[in-house]
Structures are given as structure tokens and as C-alpha cells.
Amino acid sequence: MSCDFMAYRKVCDAQAGPLDGEVLRCSGSLELDWDLDKEELQEAGPSSERTQMQHGDCQRSGCSDPGPDPDPEFIEPIQNSVSVSPHGRFERLQEDPNYISHFTRTTGHKGQRRLHCFIVRYFLAGVGIFVLGILVGWFIHTSSKRPTAPPPESLDLLEELLRGIKADKIDALQKSFSSLAGDSEESRARYLYRQWIGLGLTDVQLYNHTVLLSLPGSTPNTITDRSSHQCFLPHGAPCDQRGPTDLLKQQFSYAAYSAVGSVQGEVVDVQYASVEDLRRAKDSLNLTNQIAVVKLGQAPLLYKLSLLSDFGFRGVLLYIDPCDAPPGRNIWHEAFRVTLNPGGNPSFAGSGGSLTSLLVQPISAFLAKTLLSPPSVEQGADACTLLSMPPNTERKKITVTIGNQMSYKKIYNVVGYLKGRKNPDRHVLVGSRHDSDQGGGTSAIMTQLIAALTEQTKQGWVPDRTTVFCSWGGTALGNIGSYEWGKDNSVVLQSSAVAYVSLNSPVQGTETLQATASPTLLQLTSDIQRRQLLSCIRGGNCPGPNVSSFQLPGDVSFFANELAVPTVEFAFEQTKAESTETTGFLSEAQFSAESPEKLDPLFKFHETIAKMTAEAILRLVSDPVLPFYPLDIVLDVQNKLKDKNVVSPPLLSSASALRDHAAFFQSEAMRPANDPKERDPSHVRMLNDVLRDLEKSFIMPQTPAGVFRNLLYSLPGKTPQFSVLKFSPDVVLHCSVTSKVAKHYSPNKDAFCTSAKNQSLSLILRALRSAERLVGFGLDLFQNYPGATK
């Protein structure tokens, strides 16, 4: 294949994924036939790596045409639909070392008729041959000295970057951080501050915020059986048998920002606290001031607590059913910690730090079984029988005592900048955490990434955009550090932040490699995961790409919900991918973290996450056109609207119109910008701003507690759907069994429930129309742009 068609190769690859070798097909017709099948979509999109490798091979080989000399009259014309300069093909022909020899012809034939002298005629012919030989020899000599073209710079850079990331380096960094485990958060933050400066970041800042923290009290929280007067600690041990390890367990057996005090009541088994579970309980019991025993999972904890409060409960005991636990982990005697803080500094809530009227306490599965079942009932042979209260069992009366304490403390954020050159005011944020009890290997991975990237800058590389490295404090108690820093800088971040790459919990197990990304970055995330899995750690039987847009706990929350910044996170987990629907919210439980050395002794899993994250950062800070794909957003929206019972014709019509606009925008605006000859800086900057702002259309003003405001993130489940629609049936059922909400909002609860559902549909319709207007504005802008007629 000749280099004559490299411009076509780039354009075609930007639209149809991997090339089939018939590059000229792209120039004939560039109309897109977008398929709604999601699997085909994930295969679509630019394959930059393949294109760069093919281009590099072309340059190294010289791309000479082995065929016969082409006739200029039959050179194929360049199609107008291809956004390539009309002069581009001719200029590339001139660069071909064989071009001169193909089209050089001997001169002097016209003068032969006028020459009558035999000697003069042959003399002139000899001179012509002699001159032609000199010219051909000179050109051959010149072309033979032409240096071989180097491989594409971006491919070389990625290979060099990944070579610099090694497991033993991460291991060494982790050992240095482990030595700080007993130090204060300030000491750990200052250590990172010095490390990052030493690695060459141009600007490193240490921020502190005084915030209200909810911490365990001086005495442990307890659960007392009023009939037997037996007192239990949250993990199930009797209160009078406390051992030296119980002080550590106390740090991981409370609900931060719960109400404090004591509550007495009967135990009520409500399983997962769905509306159906609560309706069944209400049909037979008086739930007012009772104590609910609730399994964690299947829905956000804050959503469950809002329902339990509306149904009249006064106390809540949370536990993880052994059937839902990650494989190989025995949680029978483990309590855990949760936070009721949705994000930020709770001191501004005006409630003294308590964020609920409920007394909430996590307990172990062993204690839950003790409270739900009489001693004569033993666990069955089947280990996966869900815990429940047997029929006709007398409910225990218990007292729950919670003595959490509120105190003002300083938390610290470390923020460092690697400045960009062409667009320094556009930021790619990379976030990790330095919590001593939950940080794991995140600080080590982050520091290794900084070391690898700054090493490339010492070799002369400068990113196009600025990379902002952030290590957050206060993550475990409600992402306080990221929220406070984000709110302080929200005006700047609204326009400067283009993506957030998360390292919240990179290695929680070794069972499954999972990636979570907003629909904007699904294609990039899938490409990275697919390439990394080619050299799978296990050496064979590697799983395929596993990418979803599920909402995740962690510091990603502020940037996804408040700023609508596209996000991506890679992580190894112990939970299998197929059990996500049941276990999707178990990550809200915080156990005493296992050391990275125990989870991953060779640090190979840490190395894999670091390399995948590094590739994502490199693409986001270096690609001239941001690797965002509007059509992925639209297809994700249409997949969530497949339930005909909850959608309306205006919704489907608006989604279809947005799809058409997005397909045209992706082909007519994004595709030309991929050609270096058409890549006007101001044009590309405007294009990237439209891509950056597209997710902002999908931010909801208000959602149920615990549900992301960004519509593009869904709750774990087999069937994708909008979270606000997933809960709409629950709202209707909830209104039919309790009057509290109806009385608060409207004297007519049926009208209220219908209105709630219609309002959710109306907000989705408004989001679709807003996104359509933004894409349409971008198309109009580029059609009227002075350089658009190139």
C-alpha cells in the first residue's frame, strides 16, 4: 500500500475502527451506517495504535510503488468528501524517491524533424542521454542517503512510559509509605509533598481544611438483649470479653455521622430494605420506633436509610450476608465502617454533624444471626442460604447505644501540576488518597506515575494539557478533601477540567479486572483494557474487557456529580463480574484494609493498574482531539430507554434526533481534526470544548439520596436504565403504603406519586434536548468557521 493514501487511512480509521486493508474505500463514500448494537459500538472508534504502527512501517519502507509507471491522466482524483487538502496527495508524490524517475522523459524529440544533419542528430541524442544519466544518478544517490523515518513519536513515548513503570519500584515506594502508617495525616501529606517536588513537578501545593469529623467514642458502641441482659460488641463478642484487638475493631465498627444516644425497640427483619420488603413488614407490624436489621447491598445505603426513616424506624443495624460476601472471605465475625456523609464538610449542615435522625450501627453477620434466630435454629448445610428471621419467631427487644464523638480536625490535600504546552489551561485530574487505614497502594502507584511522566519530560516531552495530581485527605468519611478543594476551585474547574482519572481503590483483590468510565470514555477505556489484557498476569485465559458506567464510591463523586467531568477508573477486585448486581454496593462497607504486600506480594497487579492508568493519562493530555465519542453517550442513553413502559414518544424522538446530530458531529467535525494538515489549533480547541461540555447536559437538579445526579451513571444491574427511573416505581409504591411523604408534599398522594414519575421523565427529556442543542451549536460553529472550507 502506498504512502499516497495515508491521509485516507487516518480519516477512515477515525470512523470505522480497524482497517481492512482497502483504504481507498474510505475516499469513495464517508456516509456512516451507525448500528445501535452496543458491542459493535465498542469495536468502533479510532484505533490510534494500529494506525501509528502502520504509518511507521510505511515510513520505514519508503512506500515505493512496485507497479508500472502511472499515467498522470489516470491518477485517481481526491474526493471532495475527504477533509484533506487538495494539494496533499501531490506533495506526497513529490516526496516519493521514485517520483522523478517515473515521470522524467528525454527531451529533444521535437527538434529531430528540423535536423537534417545525421551527425548533429546523434550528437544531441548522446548529450541528452548523458545529461539524463547524470540527473538519474544524482537523484538515486540523494534518495539512498535519505534517513529512515523514525516510528511515530506517540507510540515511542507510550512504550518508554510503560517501560519505566515496574512492580519493584512500586514495591519500594510502598515500603517507604508503610513506615508512615502510625504517623498523622499531616505527616503523610508532607511526605508526599516532598516526594513530588523531588520528582520534578513544577508546582506542588499543600492545602488544609478544618472539618468536622465523626469518630468512635471513648467507649465502644453496644447492642444489648433486654430479655437476657446480654451485651454484645458490634462484631458479636460479649462486652465483658473484650480483648486487646477490640480497640482496633472499634475503629471499623461504626457509622460516621450517625445520630448518637440510646434507642430501645423490637428487632424487625427487613432484608435489603427495598420498598417491597418494607411494605410486607408494615402490613403485619407497627414499625414506629423499632430497630431494623438490614442487609447491605442492592441499593445505595443513603437511599435505604431515607426509606427506613419515612417508615418510622428509630434504629438500624447493618450487616453483610455471607452469601453476598466476596469469595474466599469469611466475614462472619467482622463488623465494618460506613459513612452517612454524601460528601464535603458536614459542619455546614447545621445539625451538629449528625446527618440522620436514625441511630445506625454496622454489625457482623454472626450477631445478625443471633438477633434474628433463636439459639435452636442452626445454619443449614447450604452456606448460601440468606439469613432471615424464621416465621412465628418471637422478636427480640434490644437496646442500641451509640457514643460516636464529633471533633474538628484538619485534613490535608496535596496537589501537584505537570504543566502543558499548547493548552496549559485545560486540566486532566488524577486523584488518589492517603488515608492511613484505607489508602492501600494508591500513594505508591500515584508516585510511580509521577516519576515515569516527569522522566519523559526530562527527555524533552511536554504534554499538550496540564496534568493535576491530587492526593486527597478525608476520603473514608465522605470524600471531604476532594469536595472542599473542588468547591474552592469550582469556577476554574468548570472550564479547565476535561477528565478525572481515579485511583481510589486500585487493588482490592485479584479475582476480576474491572474498569468504570462515563460513557464519554467507554471506547478509550475498552481499548486500553483490551491491549493490557494481551499480556495478562495469569498467562492465558485472560478475561475480555469489562467496562461499565456504574456509579462508584470515592472522590470521583464530586467531579462526576458537580462538574460532570468524564471519569475513568481501573481496579482489581475480589468480586466476580457476574455478581455485580447483588454486591454492587458492598464497597460502601469499609473493612480494616489488608496490606498491599499481602494482597499482591509481587506487586504485579499494582503494576498493571499503573500502566493502564498511565496510558489513559497520556492519551488525555496528548491527543489533539480529546478521545471522547458523543455517539457512545447517545447509544448508552438509548439502551437505557428500552423499557417501553416508562418512556414516551417525545423521549424516543429526542434521543433519535440527538443520535443523528452526534453521528454527524463525530464524522464531520471530529474526523477532519484527526488530519494534521487540517488541524487548526483554534478549531481543535473549540471542538474539544464542545466534547468537554456534553456531559454537563445530563446533570439533574435533585435525585433520591445516594443516587448520582449525573444521569449517565447507572446503578449496578443486568439491565441498564436511568437511576431516577429505576426508583420511580419505588416512589409510587412508597406513596401507596405510607402517608408521610404525601402529607409533606401534597394533600393528594396519588397526584404526588404520578407527578414524581412525570417529573423524572421531564428532566430526562430536558437533558436530551440540551445535549442536542449543544451538538447542533457545535456543528453550526464549525460550518461557519473560516477554516472549515479548506
Side-chain angles (χ1 to χ4, degrees):
M1 184 65 65
S2 172
C3 270
D4 303 352
F5 308 121
M6 286 307 299
Y8 300 179
R9 180 187 299 276
K10 182 66 176 177
V11 172
C12 187
D13 193 34
Q15 290 304 317
L19 298 176
D20 296 327
E22 299 180 9
V23 183
L24 285 178
R25 290 182 179 178
C26 185
S27 65
S29 174
L30 289 174
E31 295 182 0
L32 303 177
D33 184 14
W34 298 104
D35 190 31
L36 288 178
D37 193 318
K38 189 66 177 176
E39 295 180 359
E40 292 188 15
L41 170 69
Q42 291 181 348
E43 293 299 323
S47 301
S48 303
E49 186 179 38
R50 184 181 290 107
T51 303
Q52 292 168 341
M53 293 177 65
Q54 291 170 339
H55 190 184
D57 294 340
C58 184
Q59 289 178 314
R60 286 189 290 269
S61 62
C63 296
S64 58
D65 189 351
D69 293 346
D71 193 326
E73 295 181 1
F74 295 98
I75 294 179
E76 182 179 298
I78 296 177
Q79 301 294 327
N80 293 332
S81 61
V82 181
S83 299
V84 178
S85 168
H87 303 290
R89 182 173 181 179
F90 181 69
E91 290 169 356
R92 282 185 288 278
L93 283 172
Q94 287 181 315
E95 294 170 1
D96 189 343
N98 297 321
Y99 172 73
I100 297 294
S101 61
H102 287 169
F103 290 96
T104 302
R105 298 287 185 265
T106 57
T107 60
H109 295 297
K110 292 183 180 180
Q112 291 177 1
R113 296 181 181 176
R114 300 177 183 177
L115 295 177
H116 301 285
C117 179
F118 181 83
I119 298 176
V120 173
R121 183 174 57 203
Y122 276 93
F123 175 78
L124 292 176
V127 170
I129 294 173
F130 178 78
V131 172
L132 179 62
I134 293 177
L135 290 174
V136 171
W138 184 82
F139 279 112
I140 293 176
H141 179 71
T142 302
S143 62
S144 65
K145 289 187 176 182
R146 182 174 298 176
T148 304
E153 179 183 356
S154 58
L155 182 59
D156 275 353
L157 177 61
L158 177 60
E159 292 176 350
E160 289 292 330
L161 179 64
L162 299 185
R163 274 198 292 267
I165 298 173
K166 295 187 178 299
D168 57 345
K169 294 181 180 179
I170 300 175
D171 186 6
L173 288 168
Q174 179 57 35
K175 284 184 172 62
S176 68
F177 292 127
S178 297
S179 65
L180 305 173
D183 293 354
S184 66
E185 183 186 333
E186 180 181 3
S187 298
R188 295 192 299 275
R190 292 192 181 279
Y191 182 82
L192 284 174
Y193 174 82
R194 294 190 296 269
Q195 285 267 357
W196 292 8
I197 289 179
L199 290 173
L201 291 186
T202 54
D203 182 17
V204 183
Q205 302 290 334
L206 184 65
Y207 299 92
N208 69 79
H209 303 273
T210 300
V211 300
L212 187 63
L213 300 182
S214 175
L215 303 171
S218 56
T219 58
N221 300 337
T222 60
I223 299 92
T224 304
D225 186 339
R226 293 174 59 189
S227 60
S228 64
H229 303 288
Q230 188 171 8
C231 174
F232 296 97
L233 296 174
H235 59 277
C239 297
D240 56 1
Q241 297 181 14
R242 272 189 290 171
T245 61
D246 288 329
L247 182 61
L248 176 62
K249 291 181 179 180
Q250 184 181 342
Q251 302 294 322
F252 287 92
S253 57
Y254 78 104
Y257 305 103
S258 163
V260 297
S262 294
V263 61
Q264 297 179 359
E266 293 183 348
V267 170
V268 180
D269 180 12
V270 293
Q271 291 294 299
Y272 291 97
S274 68
V275 176
E276 284 287 353
D277 293 330
L278 293 172
R279 182 189 60 77
R280 284 193 295 267
K282 186 176 178 64
D283 288 343
S284 58
L285 300 171
N286 178 13
L287 305 182
T288 304
N289 293 328
Q290 306 297 5
I291 299 173
V293 180
V294 183
K295 302 179 196 291
L296 205 64
Q298 294 193 3
L301 173 60
L302 295 183
Y303 173 73
K304 293 182 179 184
L305 294 180
S306 68
L307 291 180
L308 291 167
S309 178
D310 287 344
F311 274 82
F313 285 97
R314 184 70 178 89
V316 179
L317 299 178
L318 304 170
Y319 72 101
I320 296 178
D321 195 286
C323 295
D324 297 334
R329 179 160 191 172
N330 187 353
I331 63 165
W332 269 102
H333 297 277
E334 285 191 73
F336 51 91
R337 179 177 64 193
V338 295
T339 179
L340 311 185
N341 180 12
N345 184 2
S347 64
F348 295 107
S351 57
S354 176
L355 299 178
T356 179
S357 60
L358 297 169
L359 274 73
V360 183
Q361 176 60 50
I363 61 175
S364 67
F366 172 80
L367 181 54
K369 179 178 179 296
T370 302
L371 297 175
L372 293 174
S373 305
S376 59
V377 177
E378 300 295 334
Q379 185 186 14
D382 185 0
C384 274
T385 299
L386 290 173
L387 295 179
S388 63
M389 180 178 288
N392 303 320
T393 300
E394 182 181 358
R395 292 185 302 278
K396 287 183 171 64
K397 295 181 180 180
I398 63 173
T399 299
V400 177
T401 302
I402 296 178
N404 302 345
Q405 295 179 346
M406 303 291 178
S407 62
Y408 283 94
K409 292 183 178 295
K410 283 186 177 181
I411 62 166
Y412 294 84
N413 295 325
V414 188
V415 180
Y417 297 81
L418 183 60
K419 297 291 185 180
R421 175 175 51 195
K422 295 181 180 178
N423 295 286
D425 59 337
R426 295 296 182 262
H427 297 163
V428 174
L429 308 173
V430 186
S432 67
R433 56 197 294 189
H434 51 258
D435 306 67
S436 61
D437 52 14
Q438 291 288 297
T442 59
S443 293
I445 292 178
M446 174 71 91
T447 305
Q448 169 70 131
L449 288 173
I450 295 173
L453 288 165
T454 53
E455 179 62 29
Q456 295 306 311
T457 62
K458 294 173 184 177
Q459 305 300 322
W461 171 71
V462 181
D464 289 349
R465 302 177 188 91
T466 296
T467 313
V468 185
F469 299 97
C470 312
S471 185
W472 309 116
T475 294
L477 299 185
N479 312 313
I480 301 175
S482 57
Y483 264 80
E484 294 306 301
W485 182 84
K487 287 186 290 188
D488 288 347
N489 297 276
S490 60
V491 174
V492 174
L493 292 173
Q494 284 286 350
S495 60
S496 69
V498 297
Y500 183 84
V501 183
S502 175
L503 282 167
N504 184 68
S505 299
V507 181
Q508 302 177 75
T510 58
E511 183 69 30
T512 306
L513 173 60
Q514 295 186 348
T516 305
S518 58
T520 307
L521 286 170
L522 283 177
Q523 184 64 55
L524 173 66
T525 307
S526 298
D527 290 344
I528 293 174
Q529 194 180 46
R530 187 180 294 108
R531 280 194 291 273
Q532 288 297 328
L533 289 174
L534 292 177
S535 55
C536 184
I537 295 175
R538 303 173 187 272
N541 234 2
C542 302
N546 177 26
V547 185
S548 67
S549 294
F550 295 151
Q551 68 176 54
L552 285 180
D555 294 291
V556 72
S557 173
F558 176 82
F559 302 98
N561 275 318
E562 303 298 326
L563 303 179
V565 173
T567 63
V568 58
E569 178 178 342
F570 300 98
F572 276 104
E573 299 181 358
Q574 198 62 27
T575 305
K576 294 183 178 180
E578 58 268 19
S579 62
T580 302
E581 184 172 12
T582 303
T583 63
F585 293 98
L586 295 186
S587 55
E588 294 179 319
Q590 302 171 19
F591 290 92
S592 179
E594 292 188 75
S595 67
E597 295 85 353
K598 185 175 180 180
L599 276 174
D600 183 17
L602 300 179
F603 280 84
K604 287 297 184 182
F605 293 95
H606 287 75
E607 178 185 310
T608 299
I609 295 297
K611 287 184 175 181
M612 297 173 79
T613 305
E615 184 172 353
I617 295 171
L618 183 62
R619 290 286 308 277
L620 289 166
V621 300
S622 297
D623 281 13
V625 179
L626 288 168
F628 301 166
Y629 300 98
L631 199 60
D632 283 10
I633 294 179
V634 185
L635 293 182
D636 180 77
V637 167
Q638 289 186 318
N639 283 337
K640 292 174 180 174
L641 290 175
K642 287 183 176 179
D643 186 355
K644 305 299 183 182
N645 296 321
V646 297
V647 298
S648 60
L651 266 177
L652 298 176
S653 176
S654 183
S656 179
L658 175 58
R659 173 178 171 267
D660 293 340
H661 279 80
F664 193 69
F665 180 84
Q666 194 162 308
S667 62
E668 297 302 320
M670 293 179 64
R671 184 184 61 198
N674 285 321
D675 183 1
K677 290 184 177 295
E678 304 291 335
R679 194 179 292 153
D680 178 75
S682 59
H683 181 276
V684 172
R685 186 176 174 88
M686 290 189 296
L687 169 65
N688 285 332
D689 285 350
V690 172
L691 295 173
R692 175 202 64 194
D693 292 338
L694 191 55
E695 282 198 21
K696 291 180 171 62
S697 298
F698 294 91
I699 292 290
M700 295 292 98
Q702 189 175 1
T703 55
V707 177
F708 270 23
R709 291 175 56 219
N710 191 328
L711 280 174
L712 298 178
Y713 294 86
S714 59
L715 298 172
K718 296 179 181 178
T719 303
Q721 57 183 301
F722 290 112
S723 299
V724 291
L725 291 184
K726 180 181 178 68
F727 283 106
S728 288
D730 285 356
V731 171
V732 175
L733 183 57
H734 176 45
C735 291
S736 68
V737 296
T738 180
S739 61
K740 181 176 180 180
V741 174
K743 287 179 179 179
H744 180 72
Y745 288 99
S746 169
N748 187 334
K749 64 180 182 181
D750 293 332
F752 163 74
C753 292
T754 303
S755 174
K757 177 181 177 182
N758 291 338
Q759 184 179 12
S760 297
L761 294 172
S762 176
L763 291 174
I764 295 174
L765 180 60
R766 181 183 302 176
L768 292 174
R769 289 175 175 173
S770 175
E772 182 185 356
R773 283 192 293 269
L774 177 63
V775 175
F777 167 78
L779 288 171
D780 292 341
L781 178 67
F782 300 138
Q783 287 175 357
N784 298 325
Y785 184 71
T789 58
K790 277 187 176 183

